[in-house]
Amino acid sequence: MPLNPTIAKVTDRIIARSADSRRQYLDRINAAAEAGPVRAHLTCGNQAHAYAGVPDDQEALAQGTGANLGIVTSYNDMLSAHQPFERFPQLIRDAARAKGSTAQVAGGVPAMCDGVTQGQPGMELSLFSRDVIALSAGVALSHNCFDAALYLGVCDKIVPGLVMAAATFGHIPAVFLPAGPMPSGLPNDEKAKVRQQFATGEVGRDKLMEAEMASYHSPGTCTFYGTANSNQMLMEFMGLHVPGASFVNPNTPLRDALTVAGVERALEITALGNDYRPAGHVLDEKAFVNGIVGLMATGGSTNLVLHMPAMARAAGVLLELEDFDEISGAVPLMAKVYPNGLADVNHFHAAGGLGYMIGELIGAGLLHDDTLTIGEGGLTAYAKEPKLVDGRVTYSDGARKSENDKILRPPSDPFQKTGGLKRLSGNLGTGMMKVSAVAPERHVIEAKARIFNDQEAVKTAFRAGEFTEDVVVIVRFQGPKANGMPELHSLTPTLSVLQDRGLKVALLTDGRMSGASGKVPAAIHVSPEAVDGGPLARLQDGDLIRVDAVAGVIEVLTEGALDRPAVTPDLSANSHGIGRELFELFRQNAGPATSGAANIV
């Protein structure tokens, strides 16, 4: 099947737009590759420092005959998704030694849990933690003693930050090793129902706690299709995992075997061998287009629209919102995973999963198969399915049909003809909406505005019974420069209750929502943000607002509304407490949401 003309057009536009920055980037990493790792040129004292922490490998490192892998880990046991990484360094060392090579933990990166900080002050550090992760990984690899890097990370900002670092150290190969999703617990829709019941006072905190603990119950990634699992999809579609690695449960024989396979593949693709695959060459324009296709076909997280431009910039590739929008218009929605449907990622994987989708999308001409990946061959290898045979990973043909058409469908018979995200623009700025979980009758909302400067004020108004008619809830001063752009996911139960009462409700904000947010239409990432004098800062209660996900419009219809002076908020409460003091420079220097809200690229 020839490449879809829209995919071809968008790819060509990105290549043209990125020509100068990509050429400069490739010149830098190619020069670094020619210089090679410095360990062969270190003084004896330098080498002694580098090898003293790994006595079992000192002789092999000193001789320098094998490859040396740098491990960058986000292990902690505050994140269920990252707890399994505790075991990985030893697995990796053993696998490397078995091949006559070595591996060292180069360093750790922070990894916070948005599930813990949701609705709390710590959430204001969340987005900026992505840049800190990239910086921390940069420090870890700065010793320049490594022939390839293994990145251990799963969740929201962690994978994007690690990709930014992998691109920066793009002269060495990068292999991402996931931990896998926890086994299925309480169904996500049942958990959401209890949350709404708690919001209305129908159940107490004891029932809420019982439901939450039954949902988030063991090591592994949360099972809904939020940002963490969207990240794993992205690594598969962009060719940074070994094929089929994303959704195998933690602490199982196949998961361990996939980790070993990732180590072995990293050793095979260093500059010491005949199949050199540096990360900077994997992370090209076509790889990012493939990632966007995967995001649309799966109905993935809105957070990736924020992260992918920052990730791409680190590799000299320039993405714009129009690229996401046009690809969404050409790619059918093939999956229904919570919050888009009732299934979780374990059910999705069992129905055929990413391998099925990649095979079908290649067959439909919607993916570039001629990309460089860490796997052998092009992207077609990612349509195969890993099996455990005699303790090792082997590959067989993947699923050629969906095992459950309520979860997974072919491009010829999709859940909807276009992808899950929609670009919005108008006199209120530019933003986007995840439409894959929103009922079609809610794609257009025209109602009076209620203006709030923080999410707690929305909850207070709800408890006071102030929402009695159709409403567009505007929560402003939530952008990166204002307070670090925290997720506003804790508003989801409140707004869902209003919607279930029969009101037409939309959220419009310069903040962001969780990848788990779903059925309430939410126009998010609105730029320019209010603190920069953006249009949201000029609105008042009662202004008539139109949020139209069909036409792609966000606008105020009230005459003269945007002629008012911009409101100047008191943001002093966001400047201190729970570490926020340390991030003042990040708030001052954050870029706009449209380019990734980054400080460092």
Side-chain angles (χ1 to χ4, degrees), residues 108-444:
V109 302
M112 63 183 290
C113 181
D114 290 354
V116 176
T117 59
Q118 197 66 245
Q120 306 298 321
M123 175 56 80
E124 295 179 19
L125 310 187
S126 176
L127 176 59
F128 294 144
S129 75
R130 180 195 64 196
D131 291 25
V132 174
I133 288 159
L135 294 169
S136 300
V139 172
L141 297 173
S142 65
H143 299 98
N144 196 19
C145 292
F146 308 110
D147 299 288
L150 301 174
Y151 295 94
L152 313 186
V154 174
C155 292
D156 193 343
K157 273 68 55 185
I158 296 92
V159 166
L162 292 175
V163 171
M164 290 161 71
T168 304
F169 287 79
H171 60 290
I172 61 173
V175 175
F176 281 66
L177 300 176
M182 67 178 67
S184 301
L186 181 73
N188 287 293
D189 59 322
E190 292 184 28
K191 173 195 67 181
K193 181 180 179 180
V194 175
R195 285 180 175 178
Q196 288 182 227
Q197 289 173 330
F198 179 75
T200 59
E202 295 175 60
V203 301
R205 187 169 294 277
D206 58 335
K207 294 297 183 184
L208 177 65
M209 189 64 181
E210 181 182 327
E212 298 288 354
M213 294 290 283
S215 181
Y216 307 116
H217 61 92
S218 73
T221 316
C222 305
T223 61
F224 57 81
Y225 194 54
T227 311
N229 287 316
S230 296
N231 283 338
Q232 302 317 297
M233 172 280 300
L234 190 69
M235 295 300 91
E236 200 105 355
F237 271 74
M238 292 182 67
L240 291 167
H241 279 171
V242 294
S246 292
F247 298 136
V248 175
N249 299 127
N251 303 317
T252 60
L254 180 55
R255 168 53 64 206
D256 288 353
L258 283 164
T259 300
V260 171
V263 175
E264 293 176 346
R265 188 58 185 156
L267 295 171
E268 292 168 354
I269 62 176
T270 73
L272 300 176
N274 298 318
D275 193 15
Y276 178 43
R277 300 186 180 212
H281 290 264
V282 173
L283 291 166
D284 68 1
E285 298 91 341
K286 290 181 179 180
F288 281 101
V289 168
N290 283 349
I292 297 173
V293 170
L295 179 65
M296 301 310 168
T298 59
S301 170
T302 55
N303 277 318
L304 289 189
V305 181
L306 193 68
H307 296 317
M308 287 187 72
M311 295 157 64
R313 278 177 178 271
V317 176
L318 305 180
L319 300 181
E320 303 286 353
L321 280 184
E322 63 178 335
D323 304 324
F324 291 84
D325 190 56
E326 289 186 33
I327 291 174
S328 182
V331 176
L333 180 66
M334 296 170 59
K336 281 281 191 181
V337 188
Y338 189 87
N340 303 343
L342 297 180
D344 68 22
V345 293
N346 293 310
H347 305 139
F348 166 75
H349 184 64
L354 296 178
Y356 169 80
M357 293 191 73
I358 289 172
E360 289 291 309
L361 288 164
I362 290 173
L366 291 166
L367 284 173
H368 295 283
D369 182 37
D370 59 340
T371 54
L372 184 70
T373 70
I374 67 153
E376 297 183 61
L379 199 63
T380 298
Y382 289 77
K384 293 185 176 293
E385 186 172 3
K387 301 287 187 182
L388 191 63
V389 178
D390 296 329
R392 295 187 60 80
V393 173
T394 62
Y395 285 93
S396 60
D397 289 339
R400 290 294 172 263
K401 69 179 184 67
S402 170
E403 295 298 327
N404 189 330
D405 64 6
K406 293 183 174 62
I407 302 172
L408 193 56
R409 292 183 183 175
S412 58
D413 181 30
F415 291 100
Q416 61 186 49
K417 293 182 179 180
T418 58
L421 299 175
K422 182 73 176 180
R423 178 176 180 263
L424 307 170
S425 62
N427 62 12
L428 291 178
T430 300
M432 51 83 57
M433 181 187 292
K434 180 176 179 176
V435 296
S436 52
V438 178
E441 64 270 19
R442 302 186 186 280
H443 285 188
V444 180

Side-chain angles (χ1 to χ4, degrees), residues 488-550:
L488 305 178
H489 180 59
S490 67
L491 292 179
T492 299
T494 298
L495 300 179
S496 295
V497 168
L498 296 178
Q499 192 168 261
D500 291 346
R501 289 174 179 172
L503 300 183
K504 290 186 176 180
V505 180
L507 174 68
L508 196 154
T509 180
D510 50 9
R512 60 194 179 96
M513 292 293 279
S514 164
S517 302
K519 64 181 183 178
V520 176
I524 60 177
H525 306 176
V526 175
S527 183
E529 62 176 289
V531 79
D532 268 348
L536 296 188
R538 304 173 192 278
L539 298 180
Q540 296 179 356
D541 284 347
D543 284 343
L544 187 62
I545 307 295
R546 183 175 179 85
V547 177
D548 185 342
V550 177

Side-chain angles (χ1 to χ4, degrees), residues 9-21 285 318:
K9 180 185 76 171
V10 173
T11 303
D12 289 344
R13 185 173 67 217
I14 294 171
I15 290 172
R17 183 194 300 140
S18 308
D20 290 342
S21 55
E285 298 91 341
L318 305 180

